[in-house]
Amino acid sequence: MAEIIQRDGTWTFDGETLRLVPGRDKGVSVLRKALGELTVPLRALAGVSFEQGRKSGRLRLRLRDGADPLLQATGGKLTEGTDPYQLTVESDRYGVAEYFVDEVRNALLLEQVPSSACTAYVLSGPSVPLSVSAGDGTASFDGEHIRLEWNWKTEDAKASAGTRLLALADITAVEWQPALGLENGCLRFVVRSSPTKAPPKYDPNSIELWGFKKDPLMALVAAAVQARLPHPGAGPAPKELTAQAPPAPAPEPAPAAAAPEDDHDALLRRLRELGELHGAGILTDEEFAAAKQAVLKRL
């Protein structure tokens, strides 16, 4: 068991699953607070790192491409403060952060988790129904339909069309863009029957975002819709099924064959025992490093 508790949040790893709980500090973003506790299976990870700074450091989880609909929908545009897979670490906890990284990396190695892209989402995405108000409107999603309602700040040309009700079956893609500098952001739905390149200000299938505090919450709607669209890594449907319901996402490829079960389990138990002895102060840092390296060489 590895755990790091900070004002920014608490991360716990039990050897199989990471639990990420956002902190209650006022500096924690509204998006992370809205997401709440995240449970991330080890098989969703591609790596983990820790970067030290003069006053604080940062733990980062790197998920496999296609593992999380939130990251798929936001396309790497989440800032450090809103990214739920980053944790600010105070300087007096650098040792704990490094130990946390070692534990996760050892588990990835022992379980032989591939770093390749996923062909199905490992995380389920935000639950529905949900509704978010930001920018020039409100986006609501019940799992089957997206409802776009406008407010007094909406451009007249767009508001005149009235409330929009989009069926999930008609959506081919969802795009989320944060506001950057003088350029506004948006939550845009690409509709099969009416594609458009109009700016979000005039697009009736988009909500324009201006960079206010609640704007990142629109990423929740984007992720919930993304989780219910065909996975980008699943491949095209067979021709004989094109007139039927979309096929279920292909299962993830099985990990490479492991070592014999008894030897694998023994090595895993030994690494965990070493970690517990080190955590209890029975092994010094040097003894722990040497013993761990000896075990890893046997893989």
Side-chain angles (χ1 to χ4, degrees), residues 126-251:
S127 59
V128 295
L130 61 84
S131 181
V132 175
S133 296
D136 67 352
T138 298
S140 305
F141 181 50
D142 62 7
E144 296 182 358
H145 294 88
I146 300 142
R147 185 180 181 89
L148 302 179
E149 300 174 272
W150 314 115
N151 58 36
W152 64 273
K153 294 171 285 187
T154 309
E155 179 69 23
D156 290 344
K158 183 162 72 171
S160 63
T163 298
R164 297 282 287 172
L165 190 64
L166 308 174
L168 180 64
D170 294 331
I171 304 299
T172 60
V174 57
E175 303 170 1
W176 177 84
Q177 295 275 354
L180 294 174
L182 299 177
E183 185 176 349
N184 292 339
C186 72
L187 171 66
R188 185 195 300 271
F189 299 97
V190 181
V191 181
R192 183 178 290 106
S193 60
S194 57
T196 178
K197 295 184 179 180
K201 182 176 183 177
Y202 303 105
D203 181 4
N205 299 325
S206 298
I207 287 184
E208 187 178 30
L209 304 174
W210 299 309
F212 296 149
K213 184 177 180 181
K214 289 187 177 180
D215 282 9
L217 293 177
M218 282 295 179
L220 297 176
V221 180
V225 173
Q226 183 72 56
R228 290 160 177 81
L229 294 177
H231 191 280
K239 291 183 179 179
E240 63 271 16
L241 296 179
T242 54
Q244 304 174 18

Side-chain angles (χ1 to χ4, degrees), residues 262-276:
D262 54 345
D263 186 50
H264 173 82
D265 290 344
L267 290 172
L268 182 59
R269 286 196 301 271
R270 182 56 180 160
L271 276 175
R272 290 177 178 171
E273 289 169 359
L274 291 172
E276 291 170 357

Side-chain angles (χ1 to χ4, degrees), residues 15-69:
E16 298 179 352
T17 303
L18 292 103
R19 286 181 171 80
L20 316 180
V21 181
R24 298 182 179 180
D25 190 78
K26 63 180 181 180
V28 178
S29 74
V30 292
L31 176 60
R32 290 178 57 203
K33 289 180 178 178
L35 281 169
E37 178 178 333
L38 292 178
T39 300
V40 183
L42 185 65
R43 64 191 177 94
L45 288 188
V48 59
S49 64
F50 175 59
E51 302 166 3
Q52 293 188 17
R54 292 183 60 185
K55 295 183 178 180
S56 63
R58 188 165 292 273
L59 267 173
R60 301 177 190 267
L61 295 180
R62 183 167 59 88
L63 272 63
R64 296 168 61 191
D65 290 342
D68 180 20

